Amino acid sequence: MTTHIYFDLDGTLTDPYVGITKCILYALDKLGFPHPGDDYLHSCIGPPLWDTFPEMVGEELTGQAVDLYRERFVEVGWRENVPYDGILDALEAIARAGHTLFVATSKPHQQARRIVDHFGMGRFMQHVYGSELDGTRSKKSELLEYAIGQNPGATTHIMIGDRKHDLVGALANEMRPIGVSWGYGSVAELASSGAAAIAHAPADLPGLVT
């Protein structure tokens, strides 16, 4: 049996809160918009920027806001990620068990690859899938459909993520959805979105994917 396992990046492999929120606030400052509260910023971790910025700046300015966000992100924001404790050990154990690992994130694939390699996760990943800069394949269901199509031959597909978008995207592509509770979605969000299992620490993952 061949198992392909797709991992979300933000909130699953790394904690991106500092980098993402500082880049959002940078874009809002440049455009002259007020800062949202911490709870709202917390909710911005996971969904595509193309979905969250319209709520803050309107549809017309969303493209400009995304460009400004990326202006800071490519300089410093990408380095403000922090890998979750134990995640490298979990990836090593899963890879050693013979599974094929991928990243599937709504973040642009160029940025995602840079982060994955910088924090030593690239050696475990067959490929890093992400959106294009214009927002193409920023929806998780579309991204996973594309990634699966690029990697035929697996008998089992698993998606691991911390938000409902990951699990809904997995179910849309007939994948087994596994949630992680250390990210930015609550256990209730994951359960109501169809999680087949929920990991409460990275050490739980190797057992859940076998």
Side-chain angles (χ1 to χ4, degrees):
M1 185 174 74
T2 303
T3 301
H4 287 183
I5 304 174
Y6 294 81
F7 290 85
D8 177 49
L9 178 57
D10 294 340
T12 301
L13 298 178
T14 65
D15 184 348
Y17 185 80
V18 172
I20 287 179
T21 56
K22 284 188 174 181
C23 291
I24 288 173
L25 297 180
Y26 174 84
L28 295 178
D29 286 342
K30 290 288 188 180
L31 293 173
F33 284 84
H35 291 187
D38 288 341
D39 288 345
Y40 185 84
L41 289 172
H42 191 280
S43 74
C44 292
I45 312 296
L49 293 173
W50 297 94
D51 290 350
T52 54
F53 267 126
E55 299 175 357
M56 292 182 276
V57 304
E59 293 283 352
E60 187 175 330
L61 291 176
T62 288
Q64 191 175 349
V66 171
D67 288 343
L68 288 166
Y69 173 100
R70 289 173 178 162
E71 182 177 280
R72 184 184 185 278
F73 193 87
V74 298
E75 290 297 323
V76 65
W78 70 276
R79 285 188 275 111
E80 294 171 328
N81 276 262
V82 179
Y84 289 106
D85 288 342
I87 199 67
L88 287 173
D89 291 339
L91 294 177
E92 184 174 11
I94 293 169
R96 196 187 316 121
H99 305 308
T100 304
L101 283 59
F102 304 87
V103 170
T105 173
S106 61
K107 190 183 297 301
H109 57 83
Q110 302 96 322
Q111 298 173 6
R113 179 88 250 182
R114 192 179 189 188
I115 293 167
V116 167
D117 287 344
H118 179 73
F119 290 111
M121 303 173 186
R123 66 186 186 273
F124 303 118
M125 301 299 172
Q126 180 78 12
H127 196 81
V128 175
Y129 290 99
S131 67
E132 301 299 329
L133 293 174
D134 65 358
T136 301
R137 289 191 292 274
S138 60
K139 301 289 188 186
K140 195 58 65 81
S141 57
E142 296 172 358
L143 179 68
L144 290 170
E145 180 182 15
Y146 173 78
I148 290 170
Q150 296 295 303
N151 298 279
T155 53
T156 303
H157 295 91
I158 296 173
M159 177 68 208
I160 298 174
D162 69 309
R163 297 300 308 271
K164 62 183 179 182
H165 314 83
D166 302 309
L167 307 187
V168 170
L171 290 169
N173 288 281
E174 300 182 344
M175 306 171 75
R176 182 169 183 249
I178 295 179
V180 303
S181 66
W182 56 82
Y184 287 83
S186 66
V187 170
E189 176 184 321
L190 297 170
S192 65
S193 300
I198 298 176
H200 297 288
D204 296 339
L205 289 173
L208 291 178
V209 301
T210 55

